[in-house]
Amino acid sequence: MLVFSETRFDFCGDEYIYAELSKEMRIESTFKVITVTNELRKRDIPGLIEIYPSNTSYLIRYDPNVISPHHLLEYLQEVDRQKNDRSELTFSSRMIEIPVWYDDAVTRKTTERYEHLQPEAKGHDFSYVMQLNGFESSDAFTQAHSSVPYFITSLGFKPGNAWGFPIGIPDHRIIQAPKYKSPRAYTPSEAVGVGGAFTVVYPTESTGSYQLIGLSAVPVYDPNQSLSIFRDTFFLAKPGDLWKYRPVTEAEYHNIREEVSKRTYTYKVKPIQFSAERYEEEGSKYIQQLMEGF
């Protein structure tokens, strides 16, 4: 049963209030964070400037000349108590397909350049993560990683980056990997990485410390808004989205990249209504129902 401890609220300077639901990563807390922050946006509170949801917390920026911080705190506490009822934890979401060339030549070459940063890996990242999680073949690993959706819990690190947590799977089957002890100086754009239990797609070339297992064929960040899905935003991800990775061959990868460059690629998207109550009661069965026809 969904049970939440009391949310801790702290004032941060003159313009921010920080709310922490849990010190540990709990997907149930993320459900509440998304529901609460969606409700705050919907209410359009005067003086509320920005809302930043994260894995198990959120940050509010406000204008103290418009709203009293103590009145705002009381308001936040009221909404927080309301969302302790699991029947309230529902929100509109999207399932988005991300085609991935797993164990690709690009990230393999990249990680081989940085073998000295983690000699315990004894090879490139894909094989390291595969072995750490007990898989004997690349096909078995790829199938396992791509068989469940990844719940977008938070955005950050750099523009367009999004953390995805696997849901609808027992904890002991979640693919996990340690981060590099010292980060790489270079990570290719659209590289797919695993760090802890999270999977990310690097939006642009950057430093990085997640273990690289593949290459996304589609962008997750488009400052030029050249594809239709980016019409209203530069970022593909929204907190609460579900990303479903689909394995593609090298040839399929290049075909999709050509469509992207010609601006003809259309993302596969399925609007859904997510219910934390149903997820708690039905688990993987509920997630499989959400994925039907996708």
Side-chain angles (χ1 to χ4, degrees), residues 205-220:
E205 293 182 3
S206 70
T207 57
S209 60
Y210 279 27
Q211 307 287 340
L212 304 184
I213 62 169
L215 200 60
S216 169
V218 298
V220 297

Side-chain angles (χ1 to χ4, degrees), residues 239-277:
D241 282 348
L242 291 169
W243 283 11
K244 179 67 170 57
Y245 297 103
R246 178 173 68 86
V248 297
T249 64
E250 180 178 358
E252 289 176 301
Y253 169 84
H254 289 295
N255 287 338
I256 293 171
R257 294 302 297 177
E258 186 174 352
E259 290 183 50
V260 170
S261 66
K262 292 180 178 178
R263 304 181 181 181
T264 59
Y265 181 78
T266 302
Y267 287 75
K268 185 177 181 181
V269 180
K270 177 184 179 182
I272 59 175
Q273 191 72 14
F274 191 89
S275 165
E277 182 175 27

Side-chain angles (χ1 to χ4, degrees), residues 27-39:
I27 195 65
E28 296 84 0
S29 296
T30 310
F31 296 155
K32 181 176 175 181
V33 165
I34 291 171
T35 308
V36 167
T37 53
N38 284 349
E39 179 68 19

Side-chain angles (χ1 to χ4, degrees), residues 2 4 32 35 83 85-91 274-276:
L2 289 174
F4 297 103
K32 181 176 175 181
T35 308
K83 300 306 178 182
D85 185 341
R86 65 178 188 163
S87 65
E88 290 282 337
L89 303 184
T90 62
F91 46 86
F274 191 89
S275 165

Side-chain angles (χ1 to χ4, degrees), residues 84-103:
N84 276 335
D85 185 341
R86 65 178 188 163
S87 65
E88 290 282 337
L89 303 184
T90 62
F91 46 86
S92 297
S93 179
R94 305 173 299 170
M95 191 168 290
I96 302 177
E97 180 183 89
I98 309 293
V100 174
W101 176 16
Y102 284 89
D103 195 16

Side-chain angles (χ1 to χ4, degrees), residues 64-81:
N65 295 313
V66 176
I67 186 169
S68 158
H70 296 285
H71 288 163
L72 177 57
L73 177 59
E74 291 176 359
Y75 197 95
L76 295 176
Q77 290 171 329
E78 176 195 340
V79 174
D80 182 85
R81 286 190 295 269

